[in-house]
């Protein structure tokens, strides 16, 4: 089955700096790659997603890039703010199934 | 509009008790998923429904876990004879249709603690 690896597990940045989180996946048939933000005591919230027919997608301060050849995708957050502090999860949807396989998460801390 | 809701938000059970966790998906959503999230980990798939049909239950860890969605809307995850290793957050997600590229919207989860 699909295996998703995510790093780093923790990331601290100064307010205003950029943050980058990287994920790799194993199933070359995977075609959907969402990113979720999870705050303490809450469910995961979708922040951006990318489908396999595009290489990059941007939404204000957040961007995601996808390299299907290398089977990796990355989340980029620019001009970080303290409210960006949370756990971020990448995920992949295997081509053979509808469920998501998640990475192990990145605890992002934005220092004021 | 209303998102995915789950109840109860917190549940404490003694080892050996049965529990039932409820999920109300977004109205009209065809697909419904249950995930289990252990502390400090990413969610892990348990089971998937398309309308009332349970199409995939490959993630259920044992036959003590049972899920249903009899009318294609509300779903219940039941855990019989709870064990300490069942302690986790149980997340429900729904999506509008049934494609692998459909966005999944998550509820707030039910935190289950088994003593």
């Amino acid at each position: 089955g699909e295996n998703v690896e995510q790093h780093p597990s923790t990331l601290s940045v100064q307010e205003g700096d950029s943050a980058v989180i990287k994920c790799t996946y194993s199933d070359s048939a995977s075609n959907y790659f969402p990113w979720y933000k999870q705050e303490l005591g809450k469910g995961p919230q979708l922040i951006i997603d990318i489908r396999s027919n595009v290489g990059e997608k941007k939404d204000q301060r957040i961007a995601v890039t996808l390299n299907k050849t290398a089977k990796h995708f990355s989340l980029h957050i620019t001009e970080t703010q303290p409210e960006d502090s949370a756990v971020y999860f990448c995920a992949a949807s295997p081509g053979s199934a509808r469920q998501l396989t998640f990475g192990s998460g990145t605890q992002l801390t934005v220092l004021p | 509009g209303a998102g995915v809701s789950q109840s109860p938000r917190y549940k404490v059970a003694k080892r050996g008790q049965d529990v039932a966790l409820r999920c109300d998906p977004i109205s009209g959503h065809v697909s419904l998923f249950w995930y289990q999230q252990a502390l400090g980990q990413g969610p892990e798939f348990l089971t998937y429904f398309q309308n009332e049909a349970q199409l995939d239950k490959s993630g259920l860890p044992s036959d003590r876990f049972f899920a249903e969605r009899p009318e294609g809307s509300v779903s219940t995850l039941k855990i019989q004879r709870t064990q300490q290793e069942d302690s986790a957050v149980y997340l429900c997600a729904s999506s509008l249709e049934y494609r692998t590229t459909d966005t999944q919207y998550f509820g707030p989860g039910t935190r289950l603690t088994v003593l």
Side-chain angles (χ1 to χ4, degrees):
Chain A
E2 174 71 282
N3 182 50
V4 176
E5 295 190 356
Q6 180 174 349
H7 59 95
S9 57
T10 60
L11 179 60
S12 292
V13 299
Q14 289 294 134
E15 183 177 357
D17 287 350
S18 295
V20 180
I21 303 171
K22 298 182 178 182
C23 290
T24 61
Y25 61 98
S26 61
D27 187 346
S28 57
S30 289
N31 58 359
Y32 175 61
F33 307 91
W35 286 87
Y36 287 86
K37 175 183 181 182
Q38 188 172 30
E39 297 175 317
L40 201 60
K42 297 184 178 180
Q45 178 187 10
L46 181 75
I47 55 171
I48 196 168
D49 57 12
I50 190 167
R51 290 166 176 80
S52 60
N53 57 343
V54 297
E56 185 173 359
K57 182 177 179 181
K58 189 174 182 180
D59 182 5
Q60 299 182 351
R61 297 186 297 110
I62 296 173
V64 59
T65 59
L66 171 65
N67 183 327
K68 288 216 71 179
T69 302
K71 291 191 282 188
H72 65 71
F73 56 114
S74 301
L75 177 71
H76 303 252
I77 306 175
T78 59
E79 301 172 20
T80 54
Q81 301 166 3
E83 51 265 38
D84 294 330
S85 297
V87 179
Y88 290 80
F89 290 99
C90 62
S93 179
S96 59
R98 295 172 182 84
Q99 67 265 28
L100 296 173
T101 299
F102 284 82
S104 54
T106 297
Q107 174 69 63
L108 173 65
T109 302
V110 180
L111 304 170
Chain B
V4 178
S5 60
Q6 293 186 244
S7 61
R9 291 295 316 278
Y10 304 91
K11 177 70 178 176
V12 178
K14 292 183 179 178
R15 187 163 53 94
Q17 284 185 333
D18 298 348
V19 298
L21 313 179
R22 177 187 170 107
C23 172
D24 286 79
I26 295 172
S27 178
H29 276 200
V30 168
S31 294
L32 185 146
F33 303 81
W34 284 98
Y35 292 85
Q36 180 189 61
Q37 186 175 26
L39 190 64
Q41 301 295 319
E44 293 192 353
F45 170 75
L46 294 176
T47 188
Y48 162 68
F49 290 86
Q50 184 176 316
N51 295 309
E52 69 278 4
Q54 188 175 20
L55 298 187
D56 189 341
K57 52 182 181 179
S58 62
L60 295 176
S62 77
D63 58 8
R64 296 186 295 104
F65 287 70
F66 172 76
E68 60 183 4
R69 194 186 185 198
E71 298 179 357
S73 55
V74 172
S75 177
T76 303
L77 176 67
K78 298 178 180 178
I79 308 173
Q80 298 176 326
R81 304 181 304 281
T82 52
Q83 304 294 314
Q84 285 190 325
E85 60 262 29
D86 300 335
S87 295
V89 174
Y90 290 86
L91 295 164
C92 176
S94 70
S95 63
L96 181 60
E97 297 185 359
Y98 51 86
R99 297 167 297 193
T100 57
T101 56
D102 288 337
T103 298
Q104 293 187 27
Y105 298 92
F106 281 81
T110 295
R111 179 176 296 278
L112 172 65
T113 302
V114 181
L115 303 177

